[in-house]
Amino acid sequence: MGIQFTGLASGLDTQSIINDMMKVENLKVQRVKNQKTMIEWRKDAWSEMNSKLYSFYKEELFDFKSQGTYQQKKVTSSNDAIVSVKNTNSALVGSHTVDVQQMAKGSFLTGTELADTTTGSTTARDLMGLAEGDAWTDKTITVEADGVTSKSITIEETDTLDSIMKKFKDTGLDINATYDSNYNRIFLSTKDTGENLQLELSGDSQALEKLGFQAGNLVGTAGQDAVFTYNGTELTSATNDVNVNGLSLSIRADSGSVNIAATQDTDAIYEKVKEFVLKYNELKDLFNTKLNADSARGYDPLSSEEKSAMSEDEIEAWETKIKDALLRRDNKLEDVDNLMRSTLTASIGVDTSGMEYKYLADLGIVTGAYTEKGLLHIEGDDDDTLFSEKENKLRQAIEDNPDDVMEFLSALGGQLYDEMRDKMKSSTMSSSLTFYNDKQMSDQIEDKEEEIAKLEDRLAAIEERYYNQFAAMEQAMQKSQSTGQWLSQQFASF
């Protein structure tokens, strides 16, 4: 719209009049903008809630439903310097004996001492003892590590001792090759262990000799398997890391005997269940806060003009009031809340027939007062001030009946896991892994943007019409004034 010169004939402030008339029309646009803002804020609120729910689903709930959570063992060795052990769920509860006769070893081949002037940067020419002007011929050395596979390396004139070491390591035979400047020797060894390994060098005899591998020093030590007796039975292994009868052992000495004790790790299992309860309570408390928030009726998103008349603190307080109530009585959130609560506290959907435990309450996991709105408590837990004086049924059950505890809790967790997975399935209104209608909200935001654009076009047209109407009025008044002046002049001439 071009520059408007208004009120020249009438003396009216038509600009202000039109602005006042447009305020009513602008309210229609602001109303739709507010609706769009509310949808965006609600989508953001749900996105944050969805992240918390999905995190619970894939972490605490996944562990809660997994049988491995309830099969944790505490495994200890009487002497870690001889045989160390790892905690594994597959370890059989009981006492085990391990008597080590020998460790598994690889093959080692050490060169003789090199010339005193040798360093890692010594060139191949100098290593070979060639004088300036002497012709160079590439040298080939063959390396064998297991009696089956051999690889060759070529020593070129541009090589140094360090680059030759790299060529040994790059053969793909899994060998270590280093030049030790302290001892002025080359050390070769296999990375793996086992009786089938033995390093052997062949090829250019001059190159081998200059590298410290003369005749009689071309074959390394023979590798060997670990030999140990487990519970009276002699066994062998090509490595020192051994898995036997559910135990994960690391042999660390050439000889010695140890006792291995494997027990149910009651503390670890208990803590996993407690972690689940605490995370559930955290979510439940959040549900309660959001669903029962105070109403924000009468609070709408602020326009630019409204914000200009308020301080930043006032704006923040106003918007916080609205945002706190975005999920108040939200149907989707209520569905998730009811699903989680009914499954966990009433075992809804869980086939508990034949099980020792049928409800969380049987394990001393109970709800508190009605005012807590479904928070869970573990009776006898030291950190629960309301129920710490009661008997700790959960810990006792884990100690006495670990298999029964696993059967019930994994079934209960599995049911909730499946139900939450179904809630997150993709649909025409929601993406996968979401508990809310994110697609629908995005479509609604786009619809509001289109509606705003149309309304703003309509506003521009209405404003233009108002200006045209006032301009026509001004022209008519100007014409009337001109006619009056002409008549006055005519009468004055008589």
Side-chain angles (χ1 to χ4, degrees):
M1 183 180 294
I3 299 175
Q4 303 284 345
F5 296 97
T6 60
L8 297 178
S10 65
L12 297 173
D13 186 357
T14 53
Q15 180 70 57
S16 296
I17 295 172
I18 291 174
N19 286 343
D20 288 340
M21 295 171 68
M22 290 302 297
K23 284 180 180 178
V24 177
E25 300 295 336
N26 275 314
L27 287 175
K28 299 176 183 177
V29 179
Q30 188 60 45
R31 188 179 302 114
V32 180
K33 286 182 177 180
N34 288 350
Q35 292 169 354
K36 173 176 172 283
T37 298
M38 289 296 289
I39 298 171
E40 291 172 333
W41 285 355
R42 188 173 291 110
K43 186 180 180 184
D44 289 342
W46 249 118
S47 178
E48 182 179 353
M49 179 66 74
N50 194 82
S51 295
K52 295 179 184 298
L53 282 167
Y54 183 66
S55 176
F56 170 77
Y57 166 82
K58 71 175 184 175
E59 293 176 14
E60 287 81 12
L61 180 55
F62 180 84
D63 288 344
F64 187 69
K65 81 175 186 69
S66 301
Q67 292 191 353
T69 297
Y70 309 99
Q71 295 173 334
Q72 296 180 81
K73 307 296 194 306
K74 183 184 293 183
V75 189
T76 58
S77 168
S78 61
N79 192 335
D80 286 336
I82 298 174
V83 177
S84 64
V85 293
K86 295 179 181 178
N87 290 329
T88 58
N89 293 350
S90 58
L92 299 180
V93 172
S95 180
H96 312 259
T97 60
V98 178
D99 181 23
V100 178
Q101 282 83 56
Q102 69 178 36
M103 293 181 67
K105 295 179 181 178
S107 178
F108 299 87
L109 179 58
T110 303
T112 58
E113 191 171 357
L114 304 181
D116 291 341
T117 58
T118 303
T119 68
S121 58
T122 299
T123 64
R125 286 186 62 87
D126 291 340
L127 284 169
M128 298 303 125
L130 296 179
E132 187 175 350
D134 289 349
W136 170 267
T137 303
D138 288 347
K139 318 293 182 182
T140 300
I141 294 176
T142 300
V143 187
E144 192 175 285
D146 60 3
V148 178
T149 305
S150 62
K151 297 288 184 179
S152 296
I153 67 169
T154 300
I155 301 175
E156 301 169 295
E157 186 176 10
T158 55
D159 277 326
T160 64
L161 183 53
D162 284 341
S163 69
I164 294 171
M165 294 302 98
K166 185 175 187 303
K167 287 184 176 182
F168 273 109
K169 289 185 283 189
D170 290 345
T171 56
L173 296 175
D174 285 336
I175 62 175
N176 300 305
T178 58
Y179 165 67
D180 189 322
S181 59
N182 291 327
Y183 291 95
N184 198 24
R185 298 168 185 265
I186 293 173
F187 291 85
L188 303 179
S189 63
T190 58
K191 293 182 180 179
D192 295 329
T193 57
E195 64 179 12
N196 66 318
L197 298 177
Q198 188 167 33
L199 286 168
E200 184 173 351
L201 301 178
S202 59
D204 191 295
S205 59
Q206 180 195 17
L208 286 168
E209 183 176 345
K210 294 299 183 181
L211 293 174
F213 300 104
Q214 300 87 354
N217 189 37
L218 297 175
V219 179
T221 60
Q224 64 183 36
D225 286 350
V227 180
F228 62 99
T229 301
Y230 169 73
N231 288 348
T233 300
E234 186 175 288
L235 302 171
T236 62
S237 169
T239 71
N240 290 308
D241 293 325
V242 180
N243 291 310
V244 54
N245 200 23
L247 297 174
S248 180
L249 311 177
S250 291
I251 298 173
R252 297 173 176 268
D254 275 316
S255 63
S257 298
V258 298
N259 292 318
I260 307 295
T263 59
Q264 189 83 20
D265 196 341
T266 299
D267 288 340
I269 298 170
Y270 181 87
E271 286 302 317
K272 272 296 183 181
V273 177
K274 183 176 177 178
E275 285 176 17
F276 172 82
V277 170
L278 292 176
K279 181 56 69 171
Y280 169 77
N281 282 347
E282 183 181 313
L283 279 175
K284 191 68 180 73
D285 191 52
L286 183 61
F287 294 164
N288 294 340
T289 299
K290 296 297 184 182
L291 290 171
N292 300 292
D294 292 336
S295 173
R297 183 182 296 275
Y299 286 77
D300 293 317
L302 298 168
S303 65
S304 299
E305 290 182 359
E306 290 171 327
K307 287 183 178 180
S308 65
M310 300 170 68
S311 68
E312 290 186 4
D313 289 343
E314 289 173 332
I315 294 171
E316 182 180 359
W318 184 280
E319 292 186 346
T320 298
K321 175 68 175 178
I322 299 173
K323 291 179 179 180
D324 285 347
L326 288 171
L327 299 182
R328 183 174 185 265
R329 298 178 180 174
D330 184 277
N331 291 335
K332 285 284 186 181
L333 188 56
E334 284 181 340
D335 285 346
V336 175
D337 181 29
N338 290 334
L339 166 66
M340 294 175 68
R341 183 172 181 174
S342 62
T343 302
L344 291 178
T345 59
S347 300
I348 299 298
V350 183
D351 182 6
T352 59
S353 55
M355 293 187 184
E356 178 71 19
Y357 306 105
K358 300 183 182 300
Y359 303 99
L360 283 179
D362 296 338
L363 292 169
I365 303 175
V366 299
T367 54
Y370 173 77
T371 54
E372 289 186 336
K373 296 183 172 66
L375 297 183
L376 295 176
H377 297 269
I378 300 177
E379 293 180 336
D381 186 80
D382 293 337
D383 295 327
D384 193 316
T385 56
L386 296 177
F387 290 80
S388 59
E389 298 300 320
K390 291 183 175 293
E391 175 192 359
N392 197 316
K393 296 179 183 178
L394 175 62
R395 183 178 293 279
Q396 195 64 49
I398 294 172
E399 290 177 353
D400 297 342
N401 305 301
D403 291 340
D404 292 331
V405 172
M406 177 184 70
E407 181 184 28
F408 170 63
L409 292 185
S410 61
L412 183 67
Q415 177 64 27
L416 180 56
Y417 190 87
D418 292 343
E419 293 280 2
M420 291 185 73
R421 182 192 59 210
D422 291 342
K423 287 283 185 184
M424 291 189 291
K425 286 183 178 178
S426 176
S427 70
T428 56
M429 293 191 295
S430 63
S431 304
S432 61
L433 305 180
T434 57
F435 291 90
Y436 68 107
N437 295 336
D438 61 320
K439 290 181 182 178
Q440 183 186 48
M441 289 181 179
S442 295
D443 291 341
Q444 290 172 341
I445 291 170
E446 289 182 10
D447 292 343
K448 293 302 178 184
E449 288 173 346
E450 292 176 3
E451 187 176 355
I452 289 168
K454 290 178 181 178
L455 286 172
E456 287 179 338
D457 289 342
R458 180 174 176 274
L459 278 181
I462 291 173
E463 187 175 26
E464 182 69 23
R465 189 180 78 231
Y466 284 157
Y467 275 112
N468 290 338
Q469 288 173 342
F470 275 99
M473 181 192 74
E474 292 288 339
Q475 290 175 357
M477 292 184 70
Q478 271 186 333
K479 185 175 181 181
S480 175
Q481 289 172 358
S482 296
T483 301
Q485 289 173 355
W486 181 82
L487 288 174
S488 295
Q489 291 173 356
Q490 296 300 315
F491 285 129
S493 65
F494 288 106

